[in-house]
Amino acid sequence: MRDYLLDLVEHSYDLGCIDLIKVTGTDTETSVDGLAEDKSVVLQAKFAAPVADYIGTFGMPNLAKLKILLNIGEYKENAEISVKRQERNGENAPVGLHFKNAAGDFKNDYRFMVSEIVAEKLKGVKMKDVPWDIEFEPTTASIMRLKMQAQANAEETTFQTKTEDGHLKFLFGDHSTHAGDFVFQHDVGGKLSKSWSWPVQQFIAIMNLTGDKTVRISDSGATKITVDSGIAVYNYILPAQSK
Amino acid sequence: MIEQDNLTLKQKDYAVFLPAISSFYSGYIGKERFPAGDKNKIIGDRLPKGLPNMESMNWLNSKESLFPYKYSLYSAGHANMDLSVTVPKEDMVRNREADTIMLADSGGFQIAKGVWPGAWADPKDKACEKKREQVIAWQMGIATHGMTMDIPTWTYLDKQASEACGIKSYQDAVDATLFNNEFWMASRSGDLKILNVLQGSNHTEADQWYNTMKKFCSDKYDRPFDGWGMGGQNMCDVHLVLKRLVTLIHEGLLEKGHHDWMHFLGTSKLEWACLLTDVQRSIRRHANSNFTISFDCASPFLATANGQVYTNLRTEDRGKWSYMMEATADNKKYAHGTDSFRDVVLRDGIHEKFEDSPISSRLTIGDICHYAPGDLNKIGKEGKTSWDSFSYALLMGHNVWQHIRAVQDANVRYDEGILPGMLVHETFERVLFRDVVERIFEARDYNKSMQIIDDNSKFWDSIRGTRGFTGKRIVNSASQFNALFS
């Protein structure tokens, strides 16, 4: 349980822009949805296998608190972390997590958000079909180069993408500012005709996550980054930034 | 003969600030004009010895005011719109001198906030029909200029307001405004000049809105609307403002004699007072010599309601420009005090600086701090404050003068070459806002002008607006999110 939760918290809260997720579980599938408050990132994830404890629909608010609980020393070894359920509207619904250390003398309760409220706060969104013009698996070296440019251009909150000679370039700043650019991925095959902007902080935060990553960019103004942690497959959709 | 600080004369060719009149304030002008109908004879008892009458605080009265100023805005949202009856509190607005300019806001904001409930998305809704009739008749009856009854695109985001006004989506807001505009077009008569309000929460929405509503200013109609109202992102985003103006000129919708007025809603930043003057001057030089920009805010009134007064103006070269507001003297120990208000607030360290207005210079500390310990207020109780209602009115008058003066002085300083930090970039070379604006409009070529605008995108982003997406938030995901997700 703790590993699942840690994976979930890392791949949502640790982005720095998501503090509430919605979990929808059936006996065949467990999915997770999240949305950054500024709509810069849409999270849509599925666990590799259904999680029996998560059957139902509920919200996990205040993920910062959940992260603290998961990292408390008392709960790292032989602790019992269980999903509490209650009868609600004729259904046996998950209502929270109960933490108990090995000795049973240190406890915490983390409460879930009920399905009606989380449905209001995180309205389900459906993405229109867009063609993904570029698809690749970013290298560790490219991610390092991105971080260097981001550091050198710390005043820029966004970077732009374009294809040039078959390579994908990331560009920081413009002719009126300090600027920098570099090839993020060689020989991407596809072509981008529009120079969309993307949020630096969020993009790097996703690149920092544990798991195998695939980046897809659409000329329609969307980037989808898939991160497979082994426990779940997380899809992060970044709408392009514009005025 | 009263000594006047004639602010109308000092207005020169600056973009025009319109004080958004508070009906609380105008009520006191009315109380004096209609003493018989006033059971509460507060004016007679309370008028400071230094003030000849309440008209001295009525800037729309050029003969009796201590600071004549012929421009104002009044909102339908605060007004009694029944013109068949005499309403003392409306009299400052209704019965004013012929050459004053009064812009009547339509109450779209009240719809968006759910204060005017109804099924606004339904053209047949009777309550909305009645409100439309009331507002346009009222505008024609009291104003020189009127805003269309726009429904801001953000209306549906406030669940409670959305329920109250029946606007459930962006498209509902657009459709309801379209209908309201048609109603305004069909109902207009007389001299009222109508401003076509532009809304939109980002560039994409603003462009969509403009393309939908621009026909009302075109020769598609026998008597098209007479100018533009800038709401939503249009009023706080220089990039969008400049793009829109270039487009308007290019599309023949900023024509001399036809579209001479543009109003920016709720704009209080001093830097904007200067930049709008730059834009106005440039457009007068290159596109429409009659063009006038106005902007309004209610800050002088709202500040007083929060117990604050304007104390002085800050306009350091390359600095942030603002009028300073601070909580002022409110102490029962000052009741009946005869020392001047300014002397006391400086002597007792309440303000480090305090610049007198034509009103405050005539006030004693006792004129503001009216209640002494043990005094009962209007509801027969001893309150904590030494202020009575009239104290607020006096300080509102002071604040209005301060705000108009701040706007005009900021423009004077700006013309002298003292620059607000926001309107100059000196990171690599010296780039002045006014120079870039001049290049944009003197180009007289749509593509060239747009290129100059886009080339200076980062400059525009650094000019913060009063609200909406400004600064770094101006580039965001909202527009693409809406395009990609349903």
Side-chain angles (χ1 to χ4, degrees):
Chain A
M1 174 66 79
R2 185 168 174 274
D3 290 342
Y4 277 73
L5 292 167
L6 279 170
D7 195 69
L8 199 49
V9 168
E10 182 200 340
H11 289 85
S12 54
Y13 174 74
D14 284 359
L15 294 187
C17 55
I18 293 176
D19 195 41
L20 166 68
I21 51 176
K22 180 171 80 173
V23 179
T24 309
T26 65
D27 52 3
T28 58
E29 185 179 286
T30 305
S31 64
V32 176
D33 293 281
L35 174 64
E37 198 176 337
D38 62 1
K39 297 178 177 174
S40 59
V41 181
V42 178
L43 165 63
Q44 295 175 336
K46 271 198 184 105
F47 279 90
V51 184
D53 285 332
Y54 291 171
I55 289 178
T57 300
F58 58 93
M60 297 176 84
N62 198 348
L63 291 169
K65 179 180 280 293
L66 180 57
K67 182 173 179 174
I68 290 168
L69 292 173
L70 290 167
N71 286 302
I72 285 177
E74 294 281 343
Y75 300 136
K76 283 189 174 168
E77 297 290 336
N78 302 320
E80 188 183 309
I81 304 173
S82 56
V83 174
K84 294 201 305 186
R85 305 185 77 89
Q86 256 177 25
E87 283 294 318
R88 267 193 100 249
N89 303 326
E91 282 182 24
N92 185 246
V95 293
L97 293 167
H98 182 66
F99 290 74
K100 189 164 74 176
N101 70 349
D105 60 356
F106 192 95
K107 298 171 192 170
N108 283 93
D109 283 294
Y110 168 86
R111 288 192 62 183
F112 292 156
M113 184 181 276
V114 298
S115 57
E116 304 92 274
I117 307 286
V118 74
E120 256 178 42
K121 292 193 181 287
L122 266 182
K123 289 192 174 70
V125 289
K126 188 171 184 304
M127 189 178 172
K128 294 172 184 167
D129 284 336
V130 296
W132 298 109
D133 300 286
I134 284 178
E135 180 175 334
F136 60 91
E137 291 177 11
T139 64
T140 306
S142 290
I143 295 169
M144 285 304 297
R145 279 153 63 88
L146 170 60
K147 288 179 187 173
M148 285 186 255
Q149 281 287 3
Q151 195 178 13
N153 295 281
E155 69 280 11
E156 299 295 336
T157 56
T158 62
F159 65 92
Q160 293 182 305
T161 45
K162 74 171 185 179
T163 48
E164 201 173 272
D165 302 327
H167 310 309
L168 175 67
K169 286 180 85 171
F170 284 7
L171 301 91
F172 289 78
D174 61 26
H175 67 278
S176 70
T177 64
H178 297 294
D181 64 74
F182 71 105
V183 173
F184 185 74
Q185 187 76 20
H186 288 275
D187 304 319
V188 284
K191 196 172 175 186
L192 298 175
S193 60
K194 291 182 185 164
S195 192
W196 290 104
S197 295
W198 311 99
V200 176
Q201 201 181 340
Q202 288 87 328
F203 195 95
I204 289 179
I206 297 168
M207 290 294 117
N208 280 339
L209 296 174
T210 312
D212 300 329
K213 298 170 195 79
T214 306
V215 177
R216 298 174 183 84
I217 304 176
S218 168
D219 233 359
S220 305
T223 282
K224 180 157 91 170
I225 306 170
T226 302
V227 180
D228 186 345
S229 70
I231 290 177
V233 176
Y234 299 88
N235 287 304
Y236 303 92
I237 300 155
L238 281 63
Q241 305 263 314
S242 62
K243 287 190 179 180
Chain B
M1 184 73 179
I2 190 170
E3 188 186 338
Q4 292 183 311
D5 179 19
N6 193 323
L7 300 178
T8 302
L9 292 179
K10 291 180 177 175
Q11 177 56 29
K12 297 189 177 168
D13 66 340
Y14 309 139
V16 183
F17 167 62
L18 309 182
I21 298 174
S22 146
S23 57
F24 171 85
Y25 187 83
S26 61
Y28 279 96
I29 308 294
K31 277 174 193 278
E32 187 181 64
R33 289 187 185 183
F34 297 89
D38 181 20
K39 292 176 191 168
N40 179 358
K41 295 189 175 176
I42 194 165
I43 301 291
D45 300 331
R46 282 286 280 121
L47 191 70
K49 288 192 173 59
L51 295 177
N53 51 31
M54 283 308 296
E55 289 301 321
S56 64
M57 288 172 51
N58 174 12
W59 57 89
L60 296 172
N61 182 337
S62 70
K63 293 176 184 64
E64 296 185 75
S65 176
L66 290 165
F67 59 103
Y69 185 66
K70 68 175 188 178
Y71 309 96
S72 275
L73 174 142
Y74 197 49
S75 174
H78 309 140
N80 181 330
M81 289 185 281
D82 184 355
L83 297 177
S84 68
V85 294
T86 298
V87 182
K89 80 177 177 71
E90 304 289 324
D91 214 59
M92 173 184 172
V93 174
R94 291 185 187 179
N95 291 312
R96 56 179 207 282
E97 292 172 9
D99 72 336
T100 52
I101 304 285
M102 181 65 64
L103 172 57
D105 201 357
S106 62
F109 186 78
Q110 275 66 27
I111 298 171
K113 285 290 176 186
V115 180
W116 285 358
W120 287 95
D122 176 5
K124 291 176 186 156
D125 184 84
K126 291 292 175 198
C128 301
E129 181 81 5
K130 190 177 170 195
K131 192 62 89 178
R132 274 189 286 270
E133 287 168 359
Q134 263 185 336
V135 174
I136 182 72
W138 172 79
Q139 285 185 332
M140 290 191 292
I142 65 110
T144 54
H145 298 69
M147 309 286 265
T148 51
M149 191 182 260
D150 61 300
I151 298 180
T153 52
W154 46 262
T155 305
Y156 70 95
L157 299 174
D158 178 338
K159 195 180 170 198
Q160 214 171 350
S162 167
E163 288 295 327
C165 69
I167 300 294
K168 302 289 171 60
S169 65
Y170 167 83
Q171 197 55 45
D172 277 356
V174 172
D175 291 345
T177 304
L178 261 176
F179 183 79
N180 288 350
N181 282 0
E182 293 287 3
F183 188 90
W184 251 238
M185 188 63 80
S187 309
R188 74 180 305 193
S189 62
D191 296 331
L192 182 75
K193 292 186 183 305
I194 296 178
L195 307 185
N196 188 356
V197 180
L198 300 177
Q199 287 287 352
S201 301
N202 51 54
H203 287 219
T204 306
E205 275 187 9
D207 287 347
Q208 288 168 352
W209 185 286
Y210 167 71
N211 285 318
T212 307
M213 306 298 174
K214 66 182 179 184
K215 64 179 181 179
F216 294 104
C217 283
S218 75
D219 55 12
K220 178 178 186 299
Y221 294 90
D222 291 339
R223 193 182 167 198
F225 292 161
D226 311 277
W228 302 92
M230 304 295 260
Q233 192 67 10
N234 297 280
M235 72 186 183
C236 58
D237 180 337
V238 174
H239 194 160
L240 185 55
V241 170
L242 293 171
K243 279 200 314 182
R244 184 67 60 238
L245 282 164
V246 168
T247 305
L248 287 173
I249 292 168
H250 178 72
E251 297 190 345
L253 296 174
L254 208 64
E255 293 293 299
K256 184 177 177 180
H258 297 285
H259 316 103
D260 291 338
W261 202 283
M262 175 175 276
H263 181 75
F264 287 74
L265 287 153
T267 298
S268 58
K269 288 196 180 293
L270 274 187
E271 288 87 350
W272 278 71
C274 298
L275 77 84
L276 291 176
T277 295
D278 282 338
V279 172
Q280 176 176 288
R281 286 174 174 169
S282 226
I283 289 180
R284 282 182 180 180
R285 275 192 290 271
H286 302 293
N288 177 349
S289 59
N290 286 352
F291 186 62
T292 296
I293 292 179
S294 62
F295 56 101
D296 76 279
C297 76
S299 303
F301 302 100
L302 296 174
T304 319
N306 292 323
Q308 294 195 310
V309 295
Y310 287 52
T311 56
N312 63 301
L313 177 63
R314 185 175 287 172
T315 54
E316 284 110 14
D317 192 34
R318 270 68 171 175
K320 183 180 183 320
W321 287 17
S322 57
Y323 28 79
M324 308 309 293
M325 293 189 255
E326 293 171 5
T328 194
D330 179 5
N331 195 319
K332 292 180 181 178
K333 73 178 181 183
Y334 294 133
H336 314 302
T338 55
D339 289 347
S340 86
F341 180 78
R342 179 174 185 274
D343 286 351
V344 173
V345 296
L346 291 176
R347 183 190 67 206
D348 290 1
I350 295 168
H351 305 303
E352 191 181 332
K353 293 178 182 171
F354 184 83
E355 190 178 337
D356 256 335
S357 66
I359 291 173
S360 66
S361 65
R362 289 165 167 81
L363 299 180
T364 65
I365 189 70
D367 289 330
I368 297 300
C369 300
H370 178 65
Y371 290 127
D375 283 354
L376 304 182
N377 60 23
K378 275 198 295 189
I379 55 171
K381 292 185 177 172
E382 184 180 358
K384 286 182 181 171
T385 178
S386 63
W387 294 12
D388 67 358
S389 301
F390 193 59
S391 307
Y392 287 89
L394 292 169
L395 292 175
M396 282 179 180
H398 163 83
N399 282 354
V400 170
W401 178 87
Q402 285 272 4
H403 197 111
I404 301 169
R405 196 279 319 223
V407 165
Q408 293 182 339
D409 275 12
N411 274 288
V412 170
R413 300 268 289 165
Y414 191 48
D415 281 348
E416 289 170 350
I418 314 294
L419 303 172
M422 255 191 230
L423 301 186
V424 56
H425 261 200
E426 294 175 310
T427 311
F428 308 108
E429 51 194 320
R430 181 165 298 137
V431 182
L432 303 186
F433 178 85
R434 59 162 65 111
D435 291 346
V436 186
V437 165
E438 183 65 6
R439 281 172 47 221
I440 291 166
F441 293 107
E442 75 182 358
R444 294 170 186 253
D445 176 286
Y446 178 80
N447 291 326
K448 278 186 193 164
S449 296
M450 285 298 189
Q451 190 61 54
I452 298 168
I453 293 172
D454 287 341
D455 285 349
N456 288 277
S457 178
K458 299 266 184 187
F459 192 175
W460 315 137
D461 295 357
S462 68
I463 300 172
R464 288 180 171 271
T466 303
R467 54 174 70 86
F469 290 113
T470 70
K472 288 192 170 176
R473 291 173 60 234
I474 213 163
V475 176
N476 60 67
S477 303
S479 176
Q480 266 309 100
F481 179 87
N482 293 339
L484 291 168
F485 291 92
S486 54

